[in-house]
């Protein structure tokens, strides 16, 4: 594949309902989309960097800058056989993993079309359907949260994850467990606690949670290992795992028993597959996280989730939970049994609605 042009687009999409984590509330997404034009097909990628550097150090602005100034120029005009060659071409640029991932994934998307193969299969996946959970943000009241959980359970979702922080944790879990003693339930702190709160974190063990996601600092595994020794609930790392070496180190230290794989956070499909493989060898289970993606990122998450060690329900859920109208056709839908059927067509298996994307675009730049 010869890379002829790389186009960046920023689109704005209001969320159907605000999403609140321990680091803040989001009403509208600014999403950076990347198109790679080859001498064959056109590939699409989504950068999962957020509006602000609160989940990770990257943001839409830093990703745009990194791609325009460094990443795109390193691959524009080059010829390559496989998207898997991209990470080696970008090693000179340190960090900026979400920016790199958007470009690498656009090339996987193009390669799958070029080889007339489903993206899932190209990545080494084989599951015909993926099992879905939902991530539910912090609400204004516990009653609102309980209503949301009820709606999602009725829709068939197989695991409920609630965002938590000091003041929105044990009391909330009590209310949930009172009403649903048996459901698969987990929580995600996005680094809202420190080891000073260890006695409080031990109370989480009463609620039979599937896991607690990233309770401590976003860049830590050493202190997570100390915490894991003192609590029964399994720790799942999200923010702290940047690559497969991190995954190996965290597993060997005993810092986690589960890993959340986000393809953008780790710099693209190549590294996501490597983390999947490291966890499988350990062996510990993984699941696919989400970053409030549009349908493009969502379709890529579906493909990744078909690898065999994605054995826990992920955060990949239906388009309509986020968007009035998604940018792909058909939209992502979840069956009443809580699964998404993996497309069998070549490529990502969802058409990009380019007219809609044009309408939502606020800036655009092509690098050749
Ligand atoms: O930590 O998993 C997280 C959303 C934004 C930033 C971080 C996270 C999340 C989610 C939402 O939990 C997952 C989704 O539904 O896309
Ligand atoms: Mg998380």
């Amino acid at each position: 594949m010869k890379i002829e042009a790389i186009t960046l687009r920023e689109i704005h999409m209001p969320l159907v309902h605000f999403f609140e984590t321990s680091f803040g509330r989001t009403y509208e997404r600014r999403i950076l989309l990347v198109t790679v034009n080859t001498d064959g097909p056109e590939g699409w990628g989504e950068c999962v960097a957020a509006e602000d550097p609160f989940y990770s150090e990257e943001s839409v602005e830093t990703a745009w800058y990194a791609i325009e100034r460094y990443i795109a120029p390193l691959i524009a005009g080059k010829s390559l056989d496989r998207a898997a060659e991209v990470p080696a071409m970008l090693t000179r640029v340190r960090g900026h993993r979400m920016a790199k991932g958007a470009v690498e994934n656009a090339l996987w998307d193009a390669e799958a079309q070029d080889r007339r193969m489903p993206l899932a299969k190209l990545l080494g996946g084989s599951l015909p359907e993926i099992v879905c959970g939902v991530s539910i943000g912090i609400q204004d009241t516990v009653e609102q949260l309980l209503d949301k959980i009820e709606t999602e359970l009725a829709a068939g979702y197989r695991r409920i994850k609630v965002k938590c922080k000091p003041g929105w944790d044990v009391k909330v879990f009590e209310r949930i467990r009172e009403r649903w003693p048996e459901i698969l339930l987990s929580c995600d702190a996005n680094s809202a606690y420190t080891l000073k709160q260890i006695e409080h974190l031990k109370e989480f063990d009463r609620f039979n949670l599937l896991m607690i996601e990233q309770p401590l600092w976003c860049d830590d595994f050493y202190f997570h290992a100390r915490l894991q020794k003192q609590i029964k609930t399994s720790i799942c790392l999200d923010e702290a795992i940047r690559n497969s070496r991190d995954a190996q180190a965290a597993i060997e230290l005993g810092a986690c028993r589960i890993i959340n794989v986000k393809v953008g956070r780790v710099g693209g499909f190549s590294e996501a597959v490597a983390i999947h493989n490291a966890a499988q060898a350990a062996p510990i289970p993984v699941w696919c996280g989400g970053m409030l993606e549009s349908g493009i990122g969502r379709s890529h998450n579906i493909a990744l989730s078909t690898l065999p060690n994605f054995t826990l329900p992920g955060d990949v859920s239906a388009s309509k939970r986020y968007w009035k109208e998604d940018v792909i056709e058909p939209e992502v839908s979840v069956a009443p049994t809580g699964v998404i059927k993996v497309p069998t067509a070549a490529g990502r298996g969802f058409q990009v609605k380019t007219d809609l994307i044009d309408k939502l675009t606020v800036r655009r730049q092509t690098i050749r």
Side-chain angles (χ1 to χ4, degrees):
M1 294 182 288
K2 175 149 197 282
I3 298 161
E4 290 174 343
I6 296 144
T7 298
L8 305 185
R9 282 186 186 79
E10 178 178 336
I11 62 170
H12 288 189
M13 293 176 79
L15 287 163
V16 167
H17 186 264
F18 69 79
F19 190 81
E20 183 172 328
T21 66
S22 62
F23 55 77
R25 194 178 268 199
T26 307
Y27 291 90
E28 186 187 53
R29 289 294 334 275
R30 289 173 60 191
I31 299 177
L32 168 49
L33 298 176
V34 176
T35 323
V36 176
N37 286 95
T38 70
D39 48 357
E42 168 185 90
W44 285 81
E46 175 165 343
C47 179
V48 302
E51 298 69 33
D52 303 297
F54 300 160
Y55 165 83
S56 79
E57 47 284 77
E58 291 186 78
S59 67
V60 174
E61 293 296 329
T62 71
W64 187 289
Y65 154 82
I67 297 171
E68 180 183 20
R69 185 100 173 248
Y70 298 102
I71 297 168
L74 278 168
I75 65 162
K78 302 269 163 57
S79 285
L80 37 87
D81 290 325
R82 313 214 51 156
E85 293 163 32
V86 171
M89 297 163 79
L90 302 178
T91 47
R92 189 171 181 205
V93 179
R94 300 219 173 141
H96 297 285
R97 286 179 295 278
M98 292 174 175
K100 289 175 177 174
V103 174
E104 186 195 328
N105 294 354
L107 268 150
W108 281 92
D109 191 283
E111 183 183 341
Q113 295 172 61
D114 197 39
R115 293 182 191 275
R116 299 184 206 297
M117 208 193 234
L119 177 60
K121 191 169 171 211
L122 183 64
L123 291 168
S126 55
L127 302 176
E129 53 186 34
I130 67 162
V131 181
C132 307
V134 286
S135 173
I136 307 182
I138 295 165
Q139 308 296 317
D140 290 327
T141 65
V142 181
E143 284 66 32
Q144 282 170 346
L145 177 67
L146 298 177
D147 284 350
K148 285 217 157 351
I149 295 174
E150 183 168 36
T151 304
E152 304 300 7
L153 290 172
Y157 287 101
R158 305 252 199 110
R159 185 226 61 205
I160 301 290
K161 154 174 147 185
V162 293
K163 292 291 191 178
C164 66
K165 65 177 184 182
W168 185 270
D169 50 25
V170 173
K171 276 184 282 177
V172 174
F173 306 151
E174 260 162 13
R175 297 282 303 279
I176 299 172
R177 277 305 189 206
E178 243 169 56
R179 188 139 155 214
W180 296 285
E182 307 286 351
I183 57 166
L184 216 47
L185 179 67
S186 69
C187 68
D188 185 356
N190 290 110
S191 304
Y193 302 92
T194 73
L195 275 182
K196 288 197 185 116
Q197 288 144 304
I198 188 140
E199 290 310 316
H200 180 64
L201 288 167
K202 281 182 187 170
E203 288 186 54
F204 287 30
D205 285 343
R206 299 199 330 255
F207 303 101
N208 186 28
L209 302 175
L210 176 63
M211 67 190 108
I212 172 170
E213 195 176 329
Q214 198 73 39
L216 307 176
W217 304 274
C218 65
D219 56 358
D220 168 79
F221 2 106
Y222 179 78
F223 293 101
H224 279 92
R226 275 207 196 164
L227 175 62
Q228 183 67 91
K229 285 190 186 73
Q230 297 185 67
I231 61 174
K232 288 208 242 40
T233 307
S234 291
I235 293 177
C236 169
L237 291 179
D238 171 357
E239 283 89 327
I241 305 294
R242 301 162 301 177
N243 50 48
S244 62
R245 286 178 296 98
D246 281 351
Q248 268 179 274
I251 295 166
E252 280 179 36
L253 271 171
C256 63
R257 299 186 193 131
I258 298 172
I259 292 175
N260 168 341
V261 181
K262 286 182 183 164
V263 61
R265 185 193 74 225
V266 306
F269 280 130
S270 298
E271 200 59 40
V273 171
I275 292 172
H276 163 275
N277 295 347
Q280 189 172 37
I284 68 162
V286 301
W287 54 279
C288 184
M291 291 291 287
L292 312 177
E293 290 93 344
S294 81
I296 293 169
R298 214 160 280 281
S299 68
H300 288 181
N301 287 342
I302 293 168
L304 180 67
S305 303
T306 64
L307 272 73
N309 196 39
F310 281 87
T311 51
L312 294 173
D315 275 348
V316 185
S317 56
S319 299
K320 67 171 185 214
R321 295 189 61 246
Y322 306 84
W323 317 117
K324 216 167 120 206
E325 185 180 4
D326 203 345
V327 298
I328 53 166
E329 177 68 39
E331 303 205 334
V332 173
S333 62
V334 170
T337 48
V339 300
I340 294 172
K341 214 168 137 11
V342 179
T344 51
R348 79 187 86 76
F350 296 85
Q351 296 297 320
V352 175
K353 293 188 196 167
T354 45
D355 288 351
L356 177 60
I357 287 178
D358 282 344
K359 268 192 242 158
L360 301 172
T361 297
V362 299
R363 62 169 161 162
R364 183 190 160 123
Q365 165 92 31
T366 297
I367 300 110
R368 285 174 204 283

